[in-house]
Structure formats: C-alpha cells, structure tokens
Amino acid sequence: MSNYLNHTSGWKSWVFTLDHKRIGIMYLVAILSSFLLGGIFAMLIRTELLSPGQTIMDADTYNRTFTLHGAIMIFLFIIPSIPAALGNFVLPVMLGAKDVAFPRLNLMSFWLYCFGAVFAVFSLVTKAVDTGWTFYTPYSTTTSASVISMTLGAVILGFSSIFTGLNFVVTIHKLRPKWMTFFKMPLFLWSLYATSIIQILATPVLGITLLLLIAERTMGIGIFDPGLGGDPVLYQHFFWFYSHPAVYIMILPAMGIVSELISVFSRKTIFGYRAIAYSSVAIALFGFFVWGHHMFTSGQSTLANMIFSLLTFSVSIPSAIKVFNWLATLYKGSISLAAPMLYALMFIFLFAIGGLTGLFLGTLATDVHLHDTYFVVAHFHYVMFGGTMIAFLGGLHYWWPKMFGKMYSEKLAALAAALIFVGFNMTFFTQFVMGTRGMPRRYYNYPEEFTTAHQISSIGSYIMGLGFVLIASYLVYSLMWGKKAPGNPWGAATLEWSHCPSPPPHDNFAEVPSQDTDPYDYSIVKYDEESDSYHLA
Amino acid sequence: MSEHSKNLAHHFSNTEQQFESGKLGMWLFLATEILLFGGLFAAYAVYRANHPEIFAYAHQYLDRNLGALNTVVLICSSFTMAWGVRMAQLGKQKQLLWSLMLTLVLAIAFLGVKGVEYESKWKHGLLWGKNYNPVEHVEAAPAHGIVGEAAPVDPPEVPTGENASLIAPAQTGPAGLAHTSGEAAKAHEEAPDNVHIFFGIYFLMTGLHGLHVLIGMGLILWIFARSYWGHFGPDYYTPVDLVGLYWHLVDLIWIFLFPLLYLIR
Ligand SMILES: [Cu+2]
C-alpha cells in the first residue's frame, strides 16, 4: 500500500520534500543526533566529577564540556524536540489537514536548523565556548573562545524555531475542518498553539540579544560593558526575557503529550478539558513576566525581586491545575501500562518534584542560599529531563507505530523505562542534597565530603545511558524486523489514529474527515480481536 | 469549492483560505520584527531613562534636516507601494511596474541620504564604544573638551587595548553620574561621560533598520520581476500584498526612530 514513506524514493525526494511527515522524520533524526552529542558531553561531565580534582580532563576542557552539553541540549535538542519533530508529523493529521499552511517555509525551517547546528557545532572544532549556555557578559565578551559562531548558530536556530511556530499558528487557525472548533481540538494541539505563540513572541528578543552580544565582541559597542558605561545586568534581563519563556516552549508541548497519553491509556475522557486548554494559554502568558527570578542575586531592586517572586509563584497555579486534572482522569479509569503510559506516569511524578522544588527557588530568602548551586541544576533537570524528555519518549513510543508502521517490544520498552527512571533519580536527586549543602554548580573541583554523592550521581547517569542504548536498539530493531502495526493499536480517538492508516498515506486522508468527532470519546472505536486493532464503531 | 487554479496549493481547499493564511502568516512575521526592534527600543529606554544628559547632548550631532528628508522619502515610498498593491488588484500591470520602480528609487534615495549621514559621523569620529573619538572641530560642537578635561584624542575613561573591557568599573564611575545636572544649556558647555553610548544605540538602530530597507528592496525587485513576467492579476496578487505590508512596517519603524533619535526634547 502506498504511504508517505514509499510514495517516492531517492535522496532528493527527502531533501526537497514538502511533506510535513517527512520533514518531521528528518527533524527527528537531526534532534536525536544532537541528543546523542549532548548526552556524550553529559557523560564526560559526570565522569570527570567521579573524584575531586582532575579525573579525565583539565579545568578548561571541563568548562567547555558543560557549556557544549547545555547549549546543544537546549538549542539543538529540547526546543525543537517535541514541536518540530513530533509536532510536525502529528499536528496536521490530528487537525484533519493535508499539510501545514506553508510547506516550503517548513522545509526552510528544517534547513535553517541544520545550518544553525553547523555554526554551533563549528565552535567544537575551533575554540569551544566556555561561558556556560547563558553566555553572560562580561565574560562572554572577553573570553578567547569562539562565542560568535556559537551565538550566530543560536540566532539562526531561533529563526528556524520562529518559522515553525508561525506555521503552526496559521495552520491551526486556517486549516481546521469546519466542524472542529478550538474546543474540539485535541489538547496536544492547544499546547502546540500556546508554544508557538511563545516561539513567535520571545525568540526575536533572543535574536537581538545575541546580535548585541556579537556587536559587543566585534565592534566594542559598549552596551553591556561596564568599562564603557554599559550595563552587564541588562544582558541578563534580555537573555532571560527569552530564556524563561523558552522553558515553557520546552515544557508545554510535553504537557500536551501527557494529556493525550493519560486519557488514551485510561480509556476515559480527559477530566477538565477546558481547564487544561486554558491553563496552557495562561502558562504561556504568565511566562513572559517572571524572567527577573534569574536575577534575585544580581543586584535587582528589592521591589522588583518581590514582584518577580510573586509572579513566579503564579505560574505554579496553571501547572498544578494540569496535574490535578491528569490525576482526576486516572481515577477509576481502566489503566493500561503500555510503554507510553509508563512515561506519562513518570512525567507526573518527576514533574511534580521539579515543579515543587521550583517554589524553593522562587522564594527570595531560600533562593539566596540555593542560587547557583546543584539544587538549581537538579530542579532544572527534573523539569527538563524528568518533564520534557520523558514526555518526548512517551510521545515517541506512542506515535512510533504511526510513523513507521512497526511495533516495538513492549517488554524491552518497560525495562528501558525502568532503567531511565532509576538512573535519573540517582543522578539528580543526589544533586538536590548536594545543592542544599552548598555544592556550587559548574565547579570543576569539590571538597572530599561530596565524593560519595557525586559518585552516586555519576553511576546513575551511566544507568540512564544504558537505558537509552536499549531504547535505540529495540526501536532500530523494530524498523527492520518489528511486527506490522495496525492502524489504531492504542484505541485512541484522535484523527491520526481513528481515521488514518499506519503509516499515513502521502496526503494523510483520502477524504478530509467531515464527521464531528470528540477526540476523547472512546465509544467511537471498538476493539477487533482478529486484527489486534481498534476500528471505528 | 472553487476550481483548482495553478496558484492554489494542494493542501488548501480554496484561494480565499490560501490568501488569508498568507496574510495571517505575514502579520505574525511582522510581530516578530517588531519584537526584534523591541529589544533595541528597550535598550534605548533604559539608557535614556538613566542617563538623559547623554541623549540631550549627543543628539545635537545628528542632522535633523537630513533625518526629516528621509522621513518624507519613506512616507512617499509607502504611498507608492500602496498604490502598487491597488494596481495589482485592478490588474493594471504597467502602473504596477511604475509604482514598484518609484518605490525602489525612493528606497535608494533613503539609503543615499543615510550614507551621507554615516559618512559625516565617521569623519568626525562620532562612533560607538571604543571607537568614539570625536574630532575637535566638529560643527556645532563646543570648542573645548568634548570628553572632559583630558585631550580629546585619547580620553582617559575610554580604556584602550585588549584588556579594555576587563577594567570593571569605569574610572569616572557609571555613565552620567559625574554630571547629573543635565540641563540643555549645560550640555552645550560640557560633554557628559559615555556619549558613545548614544552613538552605539544610534548605529545599531539605524543599521538594523537599514538592513531591513535592503531586504525590502530585494523583495520589491523580486515582485517587480514577477509582475514583469505577468504573474499577478486581480485573482492572484498575494505576494505584492505581503511585500507591501512588510514595506509599511519598515517605514513605520523609521517613523519611530526619527523622533527618538533626532528630536530629543
Ligand atoms: Cu525562569
């Protein structure tokens, strides 16, 4: 049967494709390669920290290693992971559309991503950046490392991200079928919509900030240079005006995936649909007004600190609303613990820890103690890895059969999920403890008494690494020898499962679904033993 | 459903949906442009609020007449562009070509005037950061000591050499603190510290705007070629419309830049 994978062949049919599904797959390959690279740097960091003093690298190399880990993971992996890879593939199909609104722009966004990635990685082979992923001035304007190529890369990646967001907003507004109102959209689309709004409104500010940094380095413009009457804290304000909303670019689509997974694998309509939808938009809006919490100890005025602290707390309200609704959805559901659901449950657990520890950091008095310690590192990884990465894995396992028409081994998937869960908590829970006891982040050396905690943390990261190797193995295995996937193995009611075969045909739908359906009404699909699949009732 | 014309992409069900999508996309793109400039406007606001004396003093070195001339030039170009869009809607190809040509000529005139202004700043050393090195006999400049007591050629508060920015606090303290008086009259007599901050912002803002003018010219040229080949007519003129929107935004940004930089107080 003709599908988007065998519709045409040859490398040109991929490199110049305008099909959102193929672009999504190319993005997937690109971001997974970036993840591998960033992950290798993470392993190097953890290995260096196995013992105090030098273990495998000198201090300068260590600075470059954690900078590259951060910059690659943030700009090349997490930001594009869910929207550009999974979102590109799924969004038009969920929407009942044949493609995104601007397929050429979509392809351009992918090639801009690759172009930006080349710039960013170029700084690897020259003099790798050692500023940390935040590029704070004045160090970033005075270090001899190749800050310019790295930041130029980030600017280009920003444009790629803007174009993806713009494309999604227009697609959602203009390409929905007539019957699908905003409140009949699957919640993943709501979260992608909110994410896109942030991408459009926040990313240009990162662009101008990094351009100013480049102007500072090349022309000595003096805006961030105290020696010339400039203000380095202004750089921090500019940077976090983008980079705080950017963490919602990372977490919102993850929450969207979890909303889908929790409902499908509880076989129960989502609890509080409107509350979840509105809370996505609320998070996107609130997220723009909290950036000052990164500058509590940078000499910001006390009044500003108090206001930013209050606003930061306010973001936890819509986040908590989502968690309560997911839990209420689980209540009395008939829960199936398939791999995607394992990740969804893991998300709720780890995100709750990550979110609650954020309150410690948003509180002025405790932040003074915890600022720039491992507590921050642990909090960030609980939200970004425990949150976004775990939801990405859930989404990847959920849509894998749709993307490639193949099933993977459930047993191995459960084993890998367990390895990642154990490894992750070993790695990062210990860092909460170290942080409260005063271990500063980004330090190359540490006192003897932290040795055990650092070693537990490093061993945890190896266990996690093992989990990822396992995932990579069984997914690649499934591509070659996996069981053929039915159209709707999970019994989901959203259009990509209920109305579209696996893998989807080139145009997604022979006929755009004209029937008014509820994305969370599971009575419209019935299980069929013979095909081991669900079909429209 | 309307018939599938050659300008209708397969994933749209009719040309109206396609046109509206393009238009929404363009508006969103314009929003990103405004936020891109927004960063610079924010920097402007921060430094102007903290150090008004720098702006009051330094803006006198900008040529108001040339700035006003350029404002008129850009407003005229917006008019010719709007006229072009109308002609495209009406399918009058010849008038469309003329109006695009006129818009291009006006854009070139704008960049020409800007070039004259840049050249005079360059000649007088009125540049950004470390390159701020004003020549003594600048027109309308106070005869003595633009940079204070020391010799104007090598001011002490501007560190030189590789370590320049490693010197954390300026020897004269933060910008403007040494001269908090800031009345217009006084500004004429004595230059405040860190005047180069104004020129840094001036060159960043007008430079980024100039870059947008250049991009706009490229787009207009592309539209010109396509209308020469007869691609547009009453039922398909989306690119002309969208380039028109972009050009109006470039114009609008200048309309904000002109008073903010040239007409202080
Ligand atoms: Cu933040």
Side-chain angles (χ1 to χ4, degrees):
Chain A
M1 206 173 99
S2 168
N3 61 49
Y4 81 100
L5 289 168
N6 61 22
H7 173 68
T8 47
S9 60
W11 64 273
K12 276 189 191 157
S13 74
W14 281 86
V15 168
F16 299 114
T17 184
L18 296 179
D19 184 346
H20 69 97
K21 297 182 289 304
R22 285 191 170 193
I23 295 172
I25 299 296
M26 290 198 290
Y27 255 120
L28 189 65
V29 172
I31 61 153
L32 289 177
S33 313
S34 306
F35 179 73
L36 177 65
L37 194 61
I40 290 172
F41 284 116
M43 293 292 151
L44 289 174
I45 295 172
R46 284 318 319 167
T47 306
E48 168 53 39
L49 292 172
L50 273 172
S51 66
Q54 179 160 350
T55 311
I56 54 162
M57 60 178 89
D58 60 36
D60 275 333
T61 314
Y62 177 77
N63 288 350
R64 299 176 202 287
T65 307
F66 75 66
T67 302
L68 289 167
H69 164 68
I72 289 173
M73 284 299 196
I74 298 274
F75 295 114
L76 290 176
F77 174 67
I78 310 186
I79 289 181
S81 62
I82 297 177
L86 298 181
N88 237 323
F89 189 97
V90 171
L91 178 138
V93 198
M94 270 191 160
L95 210 55
K98 289 185 169 165
D99 209 318
V100 291
F102 310 115
R104 272 195 206 91
L105 189 70
N106 202 15
L107 183 66
M108 187 170 108
S109 149
F110 174 71
W111 287 114
L112 271 181
Y113 170 89
C114 294
F115 191 56
V118 167
F119 267 91
V121 176
F122 174 75
S123 65
L124 271 176
V125 289
T126 53
K127 243 189 139 202
V129 190
D130 57 355
T131 58
W133 75 277
T134 49
F135 312 119
Y136 269 18
T137 56
Y139 185 62
S140 60
T141 51
T142 49
T143 172
S144 62
S146 52
V147 174
I148 292 181
S149 82
M150 178 59 105
T151 46
L152 207 58
V155 172
I156 297 169
L157 290 167
F159 272 103
S160 154
S161 167
I162 288 175
F163 290 148
T164 302
L166 190 153
N167 222 335
F168 284 3
V169 170
V170 177
T171 307
I172 289 176
H173 268 287
K174 299 292 177 192
L175 294 186
R176 272 175 294 130
K178 286 232 160 50
W179 56 266
M180 194 191 279
T181 60
F182 259 77
F183 289 103
K184 280 181 182 159
M185 287 196 315
L187 287 163
F188 183 50
L189 297 185
W190 270 93
S191 71
L192 282 179
Y193 185 83
T195 306
S196 303
I197 296 284
I198 311 177
Q199 283 177 306
I200 291 169
L201 295 182
T203 317
V205 180
L206 177 76
I208 194 70
T209 308
L210 295 181
L211 288 177
L212 282 172
L213 185 63
I214 292 170
E216 186 94 30
R217 266 188 86 91
T218 52
M219 312 184 344
I221 212 122
I223 289 211
F224 300 135
D225 184 350
L228 291 171
D231 185 353
V233 179
L234 185 66
Y235 173 83
Q236 299 183 17
H237 279 283
F238 275 8
F239 182 81
W240 289 111
F241 183 82
Y242 164 75
S243 293
H244 187 83
V247 304
Y248 298 116
I249 295 179
M250 307 174 207
I251 197 71
L252 274 171
M255 292 167 155
I257 290 182
V258 172
S259 302
E260 300 297 328
L261 299 183
I262 293 284
S263 172
V264 168
F265 292 95
S266 305
R267 303 218 61 71
K268 213 177 132 222
T269 188
I270 190 88
F271 186 88
Y273 173 96
R274 279 187 186 235
I276 295 181
Y278 282 132
S279 63
S280 290
V281 180
I283 290 175
L285 294 180
F286 287 8
F288 276 100
F289 303 100
V290 302
W291 78 89
H293 62 217
H294 294 271
M295 279 150 288
F296 284 163
T297 60
S298 301
Q300 198 171 234
S301 81
T302 318
L303 179 68
N305 279 352
M306 279 157 60
I307 293 170
F308 278 123
S309 176
L310 187 76
L311 289 170
T312 301
F313 280 110
S314 71
V315 186
S316 60
I317 298 169
S319 311
I321 287 176
K322 283 178 187 285
V323 174
F324 288 131
N325 282 310
W326 294 326
L327 295 180
T329 307
L330 289 172
Y331 180 67
K332 285 191 174 169
S334 64
I335 294 168
S336 105
L337 291 176
M341 185 61 159
L342 292 177
Y343 286 107
L345 295 174
M346 216 190 287
F347 174 98
I348 296 181
F349 181 77
L350 298 177
F351 176 76
I353 296 178
L356 290 172
T357 50
L359 297 178
F360 293 63
L361 297 169
T363 310
L364 291 172
T366 46
D367 183 63
V368 173
H369 177 68
L370 296 172
H371 192 87
D372 270 351
T373 67
Y374 265 61
F375 192 89
V376 177
V377 179
H379 158 71
F380 187 74
H381 283 85
Y382 263 84
V383 183
M384 290 296 114
F385 193 112
T388 308
M389 181 67 205
I390 293 298
F392 170 78
L393 287 175
L396 187 66
H397 284 83
Y398 179 58
W399 283 301
W400 187 265
K402 184 56 60 184
M403 288 175 158
F404 300 105
K406 293 292 169 69
M407 299 302 283
Y408 46 83
S409 155
E410 273 293 336
K411 276 198 191 110
L412 289 178
L415 177 63
L419 282 175
I420 287 176
F421 184 77
V422 171
F424 174 82
N425 283 299
M426 267 175 83
T427 308
F428 292 107
F429 199 83
T430 44
Q431 299 191 1
F432 278 128
V433 180
M434 281 193 270
T436 48
R437 292 156 123 217
M439 173 76 209
R441 70 194 287 202
R442 292 181 175 173
Y443 272 37
Y444 173 67
N445 204 351
Y446 53 84
E448 290 287 338
E449 68 246 44
F450 286 117
T451 312
T452 316
H454 268 301
Q455 284 174 349
I456 295 174
S457 181
S458 296
I459 292 168
S461 76
Y462 301 145
I463 296 177
M464 246 195 298
L466 200 65
F468 279 111
V469 171
L470 185 56
I471 294 181
S473 322
Y474 67 71
L475 285 185
V476 171
Y477 180 90
S478 82
L479 284 184
M480 318 275 184
W481 301 286
K483 200 172 73 143
K484 206 180 159 322
N488 191 359
W490 316 121
T494 43
L495 293 181
E496 88 276 25
W497 294 111
S498 64
H499 283 73
C500 187
S502 314
H506 174 63
D507 263 347
N508 299 346
F509 304 98
E511 192 89 356
V512 176
S514 57
Q515 199 192 345
D516 185 342
T517 58
D518 177 342
Y520 302 107
D521 175 10
Y522 297 101
S523 66
I524 68 163
V525 286
K526 285 252 151 53
Y527 183 68
D528 168 44
E529 197 121 12
E530 205 172 317
S531 58
D532 190 19
S533 174
Y534 288 79
H535 295 285
L536 281 172
Chain B
M1 295 241 171
S2 67
E3 80 294 356
H4 272 239
S5 74
K6 69 176 163 50
N7 290 316
L8 181 64
H10 80 287
H11 57 291
F12 290 112
S13 46
N14 54 55
T15 46
E16 195 194 343
Q17 189 190 32
Q18 175 166 293
F19 177 72
E20 279 181 6
S21 299
K23 201 125 181 176
L24 178 61
M26 194 63 194
W27 278 108
L28 288 170
F29 180 70
L30 295 185
T32 70
E33 289 280 15
I34 288 170
L35 281 149
L36 185 76
F37 277 94
L40 290 179
F41 281 113
Y44 175 96
V46 167
Y47 283 104
R48 178 143 181 209
N50 289 338
H51 310 298
E53 73 286 351
I54 293 178
F55 288 76
Y57 173 81
H59 92 278
Q60 308 170 81
Y61 293 97
L62 300 186
D63 191 324
R64 273 182 198 196
N65 295 330
L66 290 182
L69 173 65
N70 255 351
T71 310
V72 174
V73 167
L74 271 196
I75 290 176
C76 288
S77 79
S78 240
F79 176 75
T80 54
M81 189 71 225
W83 185 49
V85 174
R86 186 73 194 129
M87 290 305 114
Q89 284 173 345
L90 296 176
K92 296 188 174 169
Q93 196 204 7
K94 209 167 166 193
Q95 281 95 324
L96 170 60
L97 285 171
W98 268 111
S99 64
L100 291 178
M101 178 70 94
L102 264 177
T103 315
L104 266 180
V105 169
L106 288 167
I108 292 168
F110 175 87
L111 288 183
V113 174
K114 205 75 231 153
V116 171
E117 284 189 78
Y118 276 6
E119 201 215 349
S120 96
K121 300 289 164 298
W122 186 272
K123 260 207 308 237
H124 295 132
L126 298 171
L127 299 175
W128 53 85
K130 286 173 232 169
N131 299 310
Y132 178 72
N133 195 8
V135 181
E136 226 176 314
H137 304 292
V138 184
E139 249 180 288
H144 96 105
I146 282 189
V147 283
E149 304 296 287
V153 192
D154 191 15
E157 68 266 41
V158 181
T160 51
E162 291 208 332
N163 293 335
S165 43
L166 286 178
I167 300 168
Q171 285 141 343
T172 49
L177 280 187
H179 303 272
T180 40
S181 48
E183 290 106 27
K186 205 138 188 235
H188 255 292
E189 288 154 24
E190 202 181 347
D193 287 327
N194 299 316
V195 172
H196 60 82
I197 286 277
F198 176 85
F199 290 102
I201 290 176
Y202 166 80
F203 278 103
L204 282 171
M205 289 182 125
T206 55
L208 189 65
H209 177 261
L211 184 68
H212 279 77
V213 173
L214 270 177
I215 295 169
M217 286 168 68
L219 291 173
I220 293 171
L221 208 62
W222 170 64
I223 294 297
F224 184 86
R226 286 194 65 182
S227 45
Y228 181 78
W229 295 322
H231 286 187
F232 305 126
D235 45 276
Y236 181 68
Y237 55 88
T238 316
V240 187
D241 205 57
L242 300 187
V243 171
L245 277 177
Y246 179 82
W247 190 253
H248 294 320
L249 179 87
V250 172
D251 186 18
L252 188 72
I253 288 171
W254 177 260
I255 287 173
F256 278 97
L257 288 183
F258 174 58
L260 284 177
L261 292 169
Y262 291 76
L263 305 178
I264 292 171
R265 201 172 301 234

